[in-house]
Short mmCIF file of all heavy atoms in Angstrom, two decimals:
data_model
loop_
_atom_site.label_atom_id
_atom_site.label_comp_id
_atom_site.label_asym_id
_atom_site.label_seq_id
_atom_site.Cartn_x
_atom_site.Cartn_y
_atom_site.Cartn_z
N ILE A 1 262.37 -18.30 195.01
CA ILE A 1 261.39 -17.29 194.64
C ILE A 1 261.16 -17.28 193.13
O ILE A 1 260.02 -17.18 192.67
CB ILE A 1 261.80 -15.90 195.16
CG1 ILE A 1 261.73 -15.87 196.68
CG2 ILE A 1 260.94 -14.80 194.56
CD1 ILE A 1 262.23 -14.59 197.32
N GLY A 2 262.21 -17.42 192.35
CA GLY A 2 262.08 -17.45 190.89
C GLY A 2 261.23 -18.62 190.40
O GLY A 2 260.45 -18.49 189.46
N GLU A 3 261.40 -19.77 191.05
CA GLU A 3 260.60 -20.95 190.67
C GLU A 3 259.13 -20.72 191.02
O GLU A 3 258.24 -21.09 190.25
CB GLU A 3 261.11 -22.19 191.38
CG GLU A 3 262.50 -22.63 190.93
CD GLU A 3 263.08 -23.72 191.83
OE1 GLU A 3 263.01 -23.57 193.07
OE2 GLU A 3 263.58 -24.71 191.28
N LEU A 4 258.88 -20.11 192.17
CA LEU A 4 257.51 -19.81 192.56
C LEU A 4 256.89 -18.82 191.57
O LEU A 4 255.74 -19.00 191.15
CB LEU A 4 257.46 -19.27 193.99
CG LEU A 4 256.09 -18.90 194.53
CD1 LEU A 4 255.16 -20.11 194.56
CD2 LEU A 4 256.23 -18.30 195.93
N ALA A 5 257.64 -17.81 191.19
CA ALA A 5 257.15 -16.82 190.23
C ALA A 5 256.78 -17.50 188.91
O ALA A 5 255.71 -17.23 188.33
CB ALA A 5 258.20 -15.73 189.99
N ALA A 6 257.64 -18.39 188.44
CA ALA A 6 257.37 -19.09 187.18
C ALA A 6 256.13 -19.98 187.30
O ALA A 6 255.29 -20.00 186.40
CB ALA A 6 258.58 -19.92 186.77
N ARG A 7 256.00 -20.68 188.40
CA ARG A 7 254.84 -21.57 188.59
C ARG A 7 253.54 -20.77 188.64
O ARG A 7 252.50 -21.25 188.20
CB ARG A 7 254.99 -22.39 189.86
CG ARG A 7 255.97 -23.51 189.74
CD ARG A 7 255.96 -24.36 191.02
NE ARG A 7 256.61 -25.61 190.78
CZ ARG A 7 256.03 -26.67 190.20
NH1 ARG A 7 254.79 -26.62 189.82
NH2 ARG A 7 256.70 -27.78 190.02
N MET A 8 253.60 -19.58 189.23
CA MET A 8 252.39 -18.76 189.38
C MET A 8 252.20 -17.80 188.20
O MET A 8 251.18 -17.12 188.12
CB MET A 8 252.45 -17.98 190.69
CG MET A 8 252.43 -18.90 191.90
SD MET A 8 252.35 -17.99 193.43
CE MET A 8 250.70 -17.28 193.30
N ASN A 9 253.20 -17.76 187.32
CA ASN A 9 253.15 -16.90 186.14
C ASN A 9 252.98 -15.42 186.53
O ASN A 9 252.13 -14.71 185.99
CB ASN A 9 252.05 -17.35 185.18
CG ASN A 9 252.27 -16.80 183.78
OD1 ASN A 9 253.39 -16.45 183.41
ND2 ASN A 9 251.20 -16.69 183.02
N ILE A 10 253.78 -15.00 187.50
CA ILE A 10 253.79 -13.60 187.92
C ILE A 10 255.24 -13.13 187.98
O ILE A 10 256.16 -13.93 187.96
CB ILE A 10 253.08 -13.37 189.28
CG1 ILE A 10 253.69 -14.22 190.38
CG2 ILE A 10 251.58 -13.64 189.16
CD1 ILE A 10 253.08 -14.00 191.76
N THR A 11 255.43 -11.82 188.04
CA THR A 11 256.78 -11.28 188.01
C THR A 11 257.55 -11.63 189.26
O THR A 11 256.98 -11.87 190.33
CB THR A 11 256.77 -9.75 187.85
OG1 THR A 11 256.20 -9.17 189.03
CG2 THR A 11 255.99 -9.32 186.61
N LEU A 12 258.86 -11.61 189.11
CA LEU A 12 259.74 -11.91 190.22
C LEU A 12 259.59 -10.88 191.34
O LEU A 12 259.55 -11.23 192.52
CB LEU A 12 261.19 -11.97 189.74
CG LEU A 12 262.24 -12.41 190.75
CD1 LEU A 12 261.92 -13.81 191.28
CD2 LEU A 12 263.61 -12.39 190.11
N SER A 13 259.44 -9.60 190.97
CA SER A 13 259.30 -8.57 192.00
C SER A 13 258.00 -8.73 192.78
O SER A 13 257.98 -8.57 194.00
CB SER A 13 259.41 -7.17 191.40
OG SER A 13 258.36 -6.94 190.49
N THR A 14 256.92 -9.07 192.10
CA THR A 14 255.64 -9.31 192.78
C THR A 14 255.75 -10.51 193.70
O THR A 14 255.28 -10.49 194.84
CB THR A 14 254.51 -9.51 191.75
OG1 THR A 14 254.38 -8.33 190.97
CG2 THR A 14 253.18 -9.83 192.42
N THR A 15 256.39 -11.57 193.22
CA THR A 15 256.57 -12.77 194.03
C THR A 15 257.43 -12.48 195.25
O THR A 15 257.13 -12.94 196.36
CB THR A 15 257.19 -13.90 193.19
OG1 THR A 15 256.41 -14.08 192.01
CG2 THR A 15 257.24 -15.21 193.97
N SER A 16 258.46 -11.70 195.06
CA SER A 16 259.33 -11.36 196.18
C SER A 16 258.57 -10.59 197.26
O SER A 16 258.70 -10.89 198.45
CB SER A 16 260.51 -10.52 195.66
OG SER A 16 261.39 -10.22 196.70
N ARG A 17 257.73 -9.64 196.85
CA ARG A 17 256.91 -8.90 197.83
C ARG A 17 255.93 -9.84 198.52
O ARG A 17 255.71 -9.76 199.74
CB ARG A 17 256.14 -7.76 197.15
CG ARG A 17 257.02 -6.57 196.81
CD ARG A 17 256.21 -5.36 196.39
NE ARG A 17 255.19 -5.59 195.37
CZ ARG A 17 255.40 -5.55 194.07
NH1 ARG A 17 256.60 -5.28 193.60
NH2 ARG A 17 254.42 -5.77 193.22
N MET A 18 255.35 -10.75 197.76
CA MET A 18 254.39 -11.69 198.33
C MET A 18 255.07 -12.60 199.35
O MET A 18 254.53 -12.85 200.44
CB MET A 18 253.73 -12.53 197.24
CG MET A 18 252.62 -13.39 197.78
SD MET A 18 251.77 -14.39 196.54
CE MET A 18 251.88 -13.46 195.06
N VAL A 19 256.26 -13.07 199.03
CA VAL A 19 257.01 -13.93 199.95
C VAL A 19 257.35 -13.15 201.22
O VAL A 19 257.24 -13.68 202.33
CB VAL A 19 258.26 -14.51 199.26
CG1 VAL A 19 259.23 -15.11 200.27
CG2 VAL A 19 257.86 -15.55 198.23
N ASP A 20 257.71 -11.88 201.07
CA ASP A 20 257.97 -11.04 202.26
C ASP A 20 256.72 -10.95 203.14
O ASP A 20 256.81 -11.01 204.37
CB ASP A 20 258.42 -9.64 201.85
CG ASP A 20 259.84 -9.61 201.32
OD1 ASP A 20 260.60 -10.57 201.55
OD2 ASP A 20 260.20 -8.61 200.65
N LEU A 21 255.55 -10.80 202.51
CA LEU A 21 254.30 -10.71 203.27
C LEU A 21 253.97 -12.04 203.95
O LEU A 21 253.53 -12.07 205.11
CB LEU A 21 253.15 -10.27 202.35
CG LEU A 21 253.24 -8.83 201.86
CD1 LEU A 21 252.28 -8.60 200.69
CD2 LEU A 21 252.95 -7.86 202.98
N LEU A 22 254.17 -13.14 203.24
CA LEU A 22 253.94 -14.47 203.83
C LEU A 22 254.89 -14.69 205.00
O LEU A 22 254.49 -15.22 206.04
CB LEU A 22 254.12 -15.57 202.78
CG LEU A 22 253.08 -15.64 201.66
CD1 LEU A 22 253.53 -16.63 200.59
CD2 LEU A 22 251.72 -16.01 202.20
N ASP A 23 256.13 -14.26 204.84
CA ASP A 23 257.11 -14.39 205.91
C ASP A 23 256.72 -13.51 207.09
O ASP A 23 256.77 -13.95 208.25
CB ASP A 23 258.49 -14.00 205.37
CG ASP A 23 259.62 -14.37 206.31
OD1 ASP A 23 259.47 -15.30 207.11
OD2 ASP A 23 260.68 -13.71 206.22
N GLY A 24 256.31 -12.27 206.81
CA GLY A 24 255.90 -11.36 207.86
C GLY A 24 254.68 -11.85 208.63
O GLY A 24 254.52 -11.54 209.82
N SER A 25 253.85 -12.64 207.98
CA SER A 25 252.67 -13.21 208.64
C SER A 25 253.02 -14.48 209.41
O SER A 25 252.17 -15.04 210.10
CB SER A 25 251.58 -13.52 207.60
OG SER A 25 251.11 -12.33 207.02
N GLY A 26 254.25 -14.95 209.24
CA GLY A 26 254.68 -16.14 209.98
C GLY A 26 254.22 -17.45 209.37
O GLY A 26 254.10 -18.45 210.08
N TRP A 27 253.98 -17.48 208.05
CA TRP A 27 253.44 -18.67 207.40
C TRP A 27 254.46 -19.48 206.62
O TRP A 27 254.14 -20.57 206.15
CB TRP A 27 252.29 -18.30 206.48
CG TRP A 27 251.13 -17.69 207.19
CD1 TRP A 27 250.70 -17.94 208.46
CD2 TRP A 27 250.24 -16.69 206.68
NE1 TRP A 27 249.60 -17.18 208.76
CE2 TRP A 27 249.29 -16.39 207.68
CE3 TRP A 27 250.15 -16.02 205.47
CZ2 TRP A 27 248.27 -15.47 207.51
CZ3 TRP A 27 249.14 -15.10 205.30
CH2 TRP A 27 248.21 -14.83 206.32
N ILE A 28 255.67 -18.94 206.44
CA ILE A 28 256.68 -19.66 205.66
C ILE A 28 258.01 -19.68 206.40
O ILE A 28 258.23 -18.93 207.34
CB ILE A 28 256.89 -19.04 204.26
CG1 ILE A 28 257.40 -17.60 204.38
CG2 ILE A 28 255.64 -19.15 203.41
CD1 ILE A 28 257.92 -17.02 203.09
N THR A 29 258.87 -20.55 205.91
CA THR A 29 260.25 -20.64 206.39
C THR A 29 261.16 -20.42 205.20
O THR A 29 260.91 -20.94 204.11
CB THR A 29 260.51 -22.03 206.99
OG1 THR A 29 259.64 -22.22 208.10
CG2 THR A 29 261.94 -22.18 207.44
N ARG A 30 262.20 -19.63 205.42
CA ARG A 30 263.24 -19.45 204.41
C ARG A 30 264.51 -20.12 204.93
O ARG A 30 264.85 -19.97 206.10
CB ARG A 30 263.56 -17.97 204.19
CG ARG A 30 262.45 -17.14 203.66
CD ARG A 30 262.98 -15.74 203.45
NE ARG A 30 261.93 -14.75 203.39
CZ ARG A 30 261.88 -13.79 202.49
NH1 ARG A 30 262.82 -13.66 201.59
NH2 ARG A 30 260.89 -12.92 202.50
N ARG A 31 265.15 -20.84 204.03
CA ARG A 31 266.44 -21.42 204.41
C ARG A 31 267.36 -21.33 203.20
O ARG A 31 266.90 -21.27 202.07
CB ARG A 31 266.29 -22.85 204.89
CG ARG A 31 265.76 -23.82 203.89
CD ARG A 31 265.69 -25.23 204.49
NE ARG A 31 265.01 -26.14 203.61
CZ ARG A 31 265.60 -26.79 202.60
NH1 ARG A 31 266.87 -26.63 202.36
NH2 ARG A 31 264.91 -27.61 201.83
N PRO A 32 268.66 -21.30 203.45
CA PRO A 32 269.60 -21.20 202.33
C PRO A 32 269.47 -22.40 201.40
O PRO A 32 269.24 -23.52 201.84
CB PRO A 32 270.97 -21.19 203.00
CG PRO A 32 270.72 -20.83 204.42
CD PRO A 32 269.34 -21.30 204.74
N ASP A 33 269.59 -22.14 200.12
CA ASP A 33 269.58 -23.20 199.12
C ASP A 33 270.95 -23.88 199.16
O ASP A 33 271.96 -23.22 198.95
CB ASP A 33 269.32 -22.60 197.73
CG ASP A 33 269.20 -23.65 196.65
OD1 ASP A 33 269.62 -24.80 196.86
OD2 ASP A 33 268.69 -23.30 195.57
N PRO A 34 271.01 -25.17 199.45
CA PRO A 34 272.31 -25.85 199.52
C PRO A 34 273.09 -25.77 198.20
O PRO A 34 274.31 -25.81 198.20
CB PRO A 34 271.98 -27.30 199.86
CG PRO A 34 270.54 -27.35 200.16
CD PRO A 34 269.91 -26.07 199.74
N ALA A 35 272.37 -25.64 197.08
CA ALA A 35 273.03 -25.57 195.78
C ALA A 35 273.59 -24.18 195.49
O ALA A 35 274.46 -24.02 194.64
CB ALA A 35 272.05 -25.97 194.67
N ASP A 36 273.09 -23.16 196.18
CA ASP A 36 273.52 -21.78 195.97
C ASP A 36 273.22 -20.99 197.23
O ASP A 36 272.07 -20.59 197.45
CB ASP A 36 272.82 -21.18 194.76
CG ASP A 36 273.25 -19.75 194.46
OD1 ASP A 36 274.03 -19.17 195.25
OD2 ASP A 36 272.80 -19.21 193.43
N GLN A 37 274.21 -20.79 198.05
CA GLN A 37 274.01 -20.13 199.35
C GLN A 37 273.49 -18.70 199.22
O GLN A 37 273.01 -18.13 200.19
CB GLN A 37 275.32 -20.14 200.15
CG GLN A 37 275.75 -21.54 200.57
CD GLN A 37 274.77 -22.18 201.53
OE1 GLN A 37 274.37 -21.58 202.51
NE2 GLN A 37 274.36 -23.41 201.25
N ARG A 38 273.57 -18.10 198.03
CA ARG A 38 273.03 -16.75 197.84
C ARG A 38 271.51 -16.76 197.72
O ARG A 38 270.86 -15.75 197.89
CB ARG A 38 273.63 -16.10 196.61
CG ARG A 38 275.14 -15.90 196.70
CD ARG A 38 275.70 -15.53 195.37
NE ARG A 38 275.46 -16.66 194.44
CZ ARG A 38 275.66 -16.63 193.14
NH1 ARG A 38 276.11 -15.54 192.57
NH2 ARG A 38 275.43 -17.67 192.39
N ALA A 39 270.94 -17.91 197.41
CA ALA A 39 269.50 -18.04 197.19
C ALA A 39 268.85 -18.69 198.41
O ALA A 39 269.50 -19.35 199.21
CB ALA A 39 269.23 -18.88 195.95
N SER A 40 267.55 -18.49 198.51
CA SER A 40 266.77 -19.09 199.60
C SER A 40 265.75 -20.06 199.03
O SER A 40 265.25 -19.88 197.92
CB SER A 40 266.01 -18.01 200.38
OG SER A 40 266.90 -17.17 201.05
N LEU A 41 265.43 -21.06 199.83
CA LEU A 41 264.33 -21.96 199.53
C LEU A 41 263.19 -21.60 200.47
O LEU A 41 263.40 -21.41 201.67
CB LEU A 41 264.75 -23.42 199.73
CG LEU A 41 265.78 -23.95 198.74
CD1 LEU A 41 266.22 -25.35 199.13
CD2 LEU A 41 265.22 -23.93 197.32
N ILE A 42 262.01 -21.51 199.92
CA ILE A 42 260.82 -21.10 200.67
C ILE A 42 259.89 -22.30 200.79
O ILE A 42 259.64 -23.01 199.81
CB ILE A 42 260.05 -19.98 199.92
CG1 ILE A 42 260.94 -18.88 199.37
CG2 ILE A 42 258.92 -19.42 200.77
CD1 ILE A 42 261.93 -18.27 200.24
N SER A 43 259.35 -22.49 201.98
CA SER A 43 258.35 -23.55 202.18
C SER A 43 257.42 -23.12 203.30
O SER A 43 257.78 -22.30 204.14
CB SER A 43 259.03 -24.88 202.52
OG SER A 43 259.82 -24.75 203.66
N PRO A 44 256.20 -23.66 203.30
CA PRO A 44 255.29 -23.32 204.40
C PRO A 44 255.79 -23.95 205.70
O PRO A 44 256.31 -25.06 205.69
CB PRO A 44 253.95 -23.91 203.99
CG PRO A 44 254.23 -24.83 202.87
CD PRO A 44 255.59 -24.55 202.34
#
């Protein structure tokens, strides 16, 4: 999510809400980041 926020030049909180909406719409997949199990990787 932080990388997406940086790429889009928007705040982390806004990006997090947007990712929640994309997830709620069924358009993305979240999976644990192998480098840090506390973080998620987002992809369509």
